[in-house]
Amino acid sequence: MKLLIFSTVYYPDIIGGGEFSTKLMTEGLIKKGYEVEVHALGFSDCIENINGVIVFRHYFKDISEEFLKRAKNNDLSNGGLSKWKKISNKHVDILYNRKWYHYYKEIIKKSSPDLIHSVSPLSYLGRFNCWKAAYDLGIPISHVVRSPDLIEFAFGNGIFNKIYQSFNARAAQYLSAIAAPSKYMLICHTKHNIKADICQVIYNAIDIPILKINRAIIEHKKEIILYAGDLRKEKGILTLYKAVYGKNLPYKLLFIGCGELSEEVKHWKNVEVIHWMEQSKLYKYMGEARIVILPSEWNEAFGRILIEAIANGTLAIGSDCGGIPEVLNFDKRYIFQHGNIEQLFQKINRIKHLSNEEYYLELQEQQSWLVKFQKITYIDNWEHFFLKQVNKG
């Protein structure tokens, strides 16, 4: 089986957890003997071999800069699409465009894959035309919904959401299958008729061994609460700050990441901000922290930071947004109402007063939840997802 993947960016360009999940999936399929070819944005047109995965980088002026400047491994401050260009280019996501249609058609013909998969919404890159080109060539094409990008229009404060959803529902008729990293995200799309004959939840996975905890590790934890992710308002970091320092909790806040609030956060009292780093270093900080918190106030598709924290031996707390409660096994001890400062304070304060023995037992319980997020299960699920489409054809 040869799989052709279209993605906005691909490793080592990392915008969010989706890129790690895509890398894990592609390399896992390569090890199973499948052929995988990826097409993504780049700073120039080139071909790379990354751990057996053939990656074609394509440069499009402004569009490449728009997304690559968001990648954690790049340090671009300029370039990209203006607001007007974003609006004017948006039509290619939902309507036929000769240029993009033939662009995808030529790539597909040259690649000759058994099936195609899009792992990001391909904003400004002619998503509709990608799906239609594959359909017209008689090749199954699937899509994974890792964000609300198909149901929430980026402009107009929601005024255009319904018409935008209807266009995407019409485009979804070209899809052979849809996957999502949580039941929540799949249901969100299917209720807006963005669905296919095959709809499947494939939970994200961790690619690290689960730390075997002991009481000595817990005794040496630092009085730190860690958040790793984009420093943006909708990530709930202000709520987290108020829950800790507004209530005088004796913790230092460590924010690892960057974003539009980076400079502002640096001036917050008792907050340390560290830019993105290698995963191994991030995991070290996670393991040292007393609690890792994902306080999002927007609907996360999953919440990778939580399973990474638990695997590294630290209790995790998350908001009730999106797929986060699924990751935390719907356990109310660790889930708070998004934006609710008092509730978050109570969750933190409860863990603060746990004895080392109680912390140890609760961490053991959280680590037992990681069974469904194992790498081998994740790769097997993707393999079966793709084979169902090929065999159906």
Side-chain angles (χ1 to χ4, degrees):
M1 178 180 75
K2 181 177 181 180
L3 174 64
L4 172 60
I5 290 179
F6 289 109
S7 179
T8 302
V9 299
Y10 186 79
Y11 185 86
D13 298 320
I14 301 292
I15 294 177
E19 282 71 55
F20 289 112
S21 296
T22 300
K23 179 178 183 290
L24 195 61
M25 179 258 283
T26 55
E27 294 180 5
L29 291 174
I30 288 287
K31 289 179 181 178
K32 280 179 169 282
Y34 299 109
E35 186 179 352
V36 180
E37 179 182 303
V38 176
H39 289 258
L41 293 173
F43 289 113
S44 63
D45 294 330
C46 62
I47 304 174
E48 301 173 355
N49 186 317
I50 301 178
N51 297 328
V53 181
I54 304 302
V55 181
F56 289 78
R57 309 275 184 188
H58 302 272
Y59 177 75
F60 297 101
K61 183 174 171 53
D62 294 333
I63 296 178
S64 287
E65 285 81 3
E66 173 67 26
F67 289 97
L68 293 174
K69 72 179 180 181
R70 303 181 194 175
K72 298 171 176 56
N73 59 307
N74 296 322
D75 189 21
L76 295 178
S77 56
N78 297 314
L81 296 165
S82 66
K83 187 172 183 179
W84 168 247
K85 283 186 177 179
K86 288 179 182 179
I87 295 172
S88 63
N89 286 359
K90 198 67 178 172
H91 73 280
V92 300
D93 292 351
I94 57 176
L95 297 171
Y96 173 79
N97 178 274
R98 179 181 173 84
K99 168 194 163 185
W100 285 109
Y101 177 78
H102 287 285
Y103 166 78
Y104 287 111
K105 206 167 189 179
E106 288 306 309
I107 289 176
I108 295 168
K109 284 180 179 179
K110 189 172 182 179
S111 175
S112 248
D114 296 297
L115 73 161
I116 304 167
H117 183 58
S118 52
V119 299
S120 54
L122 303 175
S123 295
Y124 319 116
L125 290 168
R127 176 179 62 245
F128 174 92
N129 298 277
C130 174
W131 296 353
K132 178 172 171 52
Y135 181 86
D136 289 348
L137 290 170
I139 300 174
I141 181 164
S142 56
H143 179 68
V144 56
V145 286
R146 297 193 185 280
S147 71
D149 282 321
L150 301 185
I151 54 179
E152 295 180 3
F153 194 64
F155 307 98
N157 295 319
I159 297 174
F160 303 108
N161 279 356
K162 285 190 176 181
I163 188 168
Y164 181 66
Q165 291 159 6
S166 68
F167 274 113
N168 284 321
R170 188 169 64 179
Q173 68 180 313
Y174 299 125
L175 296 173
S176 54
I178 289 179
S182 62
K183 293 177 183 176
Y184 170 85
M185 192 54 62
L186 188 61
I187 291 170
C188 276
H189 285 77
T190 55
K191 76 179 183 181
H192 292 297
N193 291 315
I194 299 172
K195 55 188 177 181
D197 289 342
I198 299 170
C199 291
Q200 185 173 335
V201 174
I202 302 178
Y203 286 118
N204 290 333
I206 45 174
D207 191 20
I208 53 173
I210 298 172
L211 179 68
K212 190 173 183 180
I213 54 172
N214 56 53
R215 291 161 182 81
I217 291 174
I218 294 168
E219 288 173 5
H220 289 91
K221 280 187 170 291
K222 299 177 180 179
E223 297 303 297
I224 289 174
I225 292 175
L226 182 146
Y227 163 81
D230 291 341
L231 301 182
R232 292 183 282 120
K233 181 181 178 182
E234 57 265 36
K235 285 292 189 174
I237 57 175
L238 182 57
T239 296
L240 174 55
Y241 179 77
K242 289 179 178 178
V244 174
Y245 295 118
K247 301 289 186 176
N248 296 314
L249 285 168
Y251 288 107
K252 173 184 176 181
L253 275 176
L254 176 58
F255 290 166
I256 299 177
C258 58
E260 60 191 33
L261 294 182
S262 293
E263 291 305 313
E264 179 182 333
V265 170
K266 288 177 183 177
H267 299 291
W268 292 358
K269 181 181 177 183
N270 292 328
V271 175
E272 181 180 1
V273 180
I274 303 177
H275 199 269
W276 286 110
M277 60 189 67
E278 293 179 2
Q279 274 188 312
S280 58
K281 291 182 180 178
L282 171 61
Y283 293 158
K284 179 178 180 294
Y285 280 109
M286 280 184 172
E288 292 174 346
R290 181 76 174 173
I291 314 170
V292 172
I293 300 180
L294 180 55
S296 281
E297 294 172 12
W298 81 296
N299 291 319
E300 299 277 353
F302 185 70
R304 174 178 293 277
I305 179 182
L306 300 172
I307 59 174
E308 290 176 331
I310 295 167
N312 281 286
T314 298
L315 285 175
I317 291 174
S319 73
D320 59 355
C321 281
I324 293 174
E326 291 177 56
V327 177
L328 293 173
N329 207 37
F330 298 100
D331 193 318
K332 293 182 179 179
R333 289 175 293 175
Y334 311 106
I335 301 168
F336 70 98
Q337 182 185 45
H338 65 282
N340 191 316
I341 296 168
E342 181 63 30
Q343 272 195 22
L344 178 52
F345 162 74
Q346 290 171 3
K347 304 300 178 185
I348 297 171
N349 198 43
R350 188 191 72 81
I351 292 178
K352 174 183 177 293
H353 288 95
L354 293 178
S355 67
N356 287 339
E357 180 65 19
E358 290 170 330
Y359 189 102
Y360 172 78
L361 293 174
E362 289 198 17
L363 185 54
Q364 278 192 320
E365 185 179 358
Q366 281 201 345
Q367 287 192 336
S368 72
W369 302 341
L370 299 183
V371 172
K372 62 183 177 182
F373 308 123
Q374 291 181 332
K375 177 181 175 180
I376 187 170
T377 303
Y378 178 75
I379 303 302
D380 285 346
N381 285 339
W382 277 113
E383 179 185 27
H384 297 152
F385 175 76
F386 291 132
L387 288 176
K388 277 191 290 188
Q389 298 169 64
V390 174
N391 293 336
K392 183 180 178 182

